[in-house]
Structure formats: structure tokens, C-alpha cells
Amino acid sequence: MDVPDAADACARVIDEIGSAVVADREFLERVTLGIIARGHVLLEDVPGTGKTLSARSFATALGLEFSRIQFTPDLLPSDVTGTNVFDERDGTFTFSPGPIFANVVLADEINRAPPKTQAALLEAMEEGQVTVDGETHDLPTPFYVIATQNPVESEGAFPLPEAQLDRFMIKTSLGYPDEVGEVEILRRRAGRTDRSPTVERVLDPADVTDLRTVPETVRVDDDLLAYMASVVHRTREDRRVEVGVSPRGTQRLFEAARANATVAGRDFLTPDDVKRVAEPTLAHRLVLTPDATVNDVSKADVIADALDRVAVPTVESPEA
């Protein structure tokens, strides 16, 4: 699969999901970026905006196995990863896989689970494997986590630590639909007995595996590498920031920007690709100072300021 084929596949997936999910196309593109860039996505939204429907629709359109884990305060790590079960017939233990053994895993309301259970996702998200009783088990390929959290709930919630947030390539949200979108939701509700929004399968697992290799072929000039590094360093020098973007964040910015070029149908990176993915890729990795928090400084504004202060390199098309 080459870049034009990958761009066409992504467009078909987004169009198919958009026919069932009332969401902004930019949101659907951001979730798609996480998939093809081999990352994970965190959705922060109030209840009832369609997070679960979106995750399930992506799994269906991509032809992947879907699993949903409802995170609660009493959820144990073994409830996520699985556990060894004793077989009385032969006196041995057999591994029983948990719900994380799927291609697309929805970790619903992840901030309602205690830190120990949240940490159970760390190895899986970063290494594509889980370890139970000292034995390592590989997760299916491809493996992709879409986690959700409710920003307005505080009782019974455990905020994600910075180390956990850093594991997510992209943090985004659906937001409330506009009036036209809300009318469409009501129209679908009115006709629910006749038809309900459904998503058809567009790709199969082999296609998705091929698709995730395409961004690796996107050409990136050295000037753009320096540009991305400069943007990240600006976040570390900002007085409003206590902890800037980590080196892992720099790599995720690079990977997401290449994925954006792929979705756009280009085999070379431009500064616009970097600008488009900078906020959803970097903002959640920042830790603001107490003064900045009190003054309601936005993490997105910090990223925007960093982009404004770094000189944009000139990149010519290979055909030029």
C-alpha cells in the first residue's frame, strides 16, 4: 500500500463512520491519526456525546475485534489483563485472557479506576503485551486503545498521572454537536424503530496492518526535524510551564505529523502537518505552574505560543 492508497482508505473509513456518528470531521481524523501512527487516543468529554459509539464504529469500519472495559473504583488489574485459572482435572493453571485482548479496546471512564488498575494498561499500551504471574502474553495485532474520561466528575474519580497521560499519542474531544447535528440526532432517534445508524466494514485487519506502515515512508527534511524539536523546547522554556513536553512527546509529534501527511495524500512532510497535530499531541503532556493554573492559562495557548515563536522552515515539494 502506498500513500495515495492509504489516503483513500482513510477517507473511506472516515466517511463511513461519519454516516453513523454525528461528529466533526476533524475529530474523526484525529482518532484515525492515532490508529495509523500506532498510538492511542484519550477522549475527554461529558457523558452522552457519542464516545462509545465512535470507538465501536471505528472497530467495525476497520474490520477489527472490539472490546469495552467499564472502569470502576472496584476494578482490579486482573479484570483488565486476565488471570491464571486452576484446572482441577489435570492440576495445572491455564491463562484466561481479559478484555484487553482485542484489536480496539475502549477503556471507558478510565479515571474512575484506582491507580493500580490504571497502571495495568501501561505495559499493554507501550509494549503490546501483558505480564501475569511472571508470564508474558502478546496482545493481538493491531492493538489500539481509545480511553475516555469525564472532566466534570470528581467524586470517585482518580485523575490520570502525568506518566499515564504521556502514553496517549493524542488527546481530543467530540464536544457538543452544533444545532444542525443535534437535529440530526433527534431525527435518528425518531426513526429508531425503522433504522438505526450502522457502520459497514471498510477494511480488514491485513489492510489495517499495511496502512500502519505507510507513514514510515513519508519523507521528512532535516529542517522539519529541527522545527519540531524547537517547538518542543519552547514548551520547556515557557515560564507558565512546570514540566514541558517529554522526549517521548517529541517522537509522538513526529509520528502524528507523518500520519497527517499520509491522510492528506502526501509522501512528504510540511510545517502545516506539524501545526495541525501539535495541540492534540503535545498539550496534554504539559504540567502548568500553580500560578498559571490559578490564572486559567490554557495548555493549548502554550502550544500555540510555541508555534508562533519558532521560525517556520520552507519545504519544497519533491516535484518542484
Side-chain angles (χ1 to χ4, degrees), residues 221-300:
D221 290 345
D222 288 343
D223 286 348
L224 278 170
L225 296 178
Y227 176 62
M228 287 183 276
S230 295
V231 169
V232 169
H233 275 268
R234 285 286 183 179
T235 69
R236 300 169 187 167
E237 298 168 355
D238 195 307
R239 294 182 178 180
R240 299 168 294 180
V241 176
E242 187 171 293
V243 179
V245 175
S246 68
R248 179 189 286 122
T250 311
Q251 297 176 64
R252 298 300 176 261
L253 174 63
F254 172 71
E255 293 161 358
R258 290 195 305 182
N260 189 78
T262 301
V263 172
R266 281 182 282 98
D267 61 358
F268 61 95
L269 195 71
T270 69
D272 285 341
D273 293 315
V274 178
K275 291 180 179 181
R276 186 174 178 81
V277 303
E279 187 270 326
T281 306
L282 301 180
H284 62 284
R285 305 175 192 276
L286 299 175
V287 178
L288 300 180
T289 63
D291 287 344
T293 302
V294 169
N295 293 325
D296 291 328
V297 172
S298 167
K299 294 181 179 180

Side-chain angles (χ1 to χ4, degrees), residues 73 109-114 118 150 152-160:
E109 294 185 301
I110 189 175
N111 59 326
R112 284 180 56 81
Q118 293 175 5
N150 184 348
V152 298
E153 189 171 21
S154 58
E155 185 174 351
F158 302 85
L160 292 177

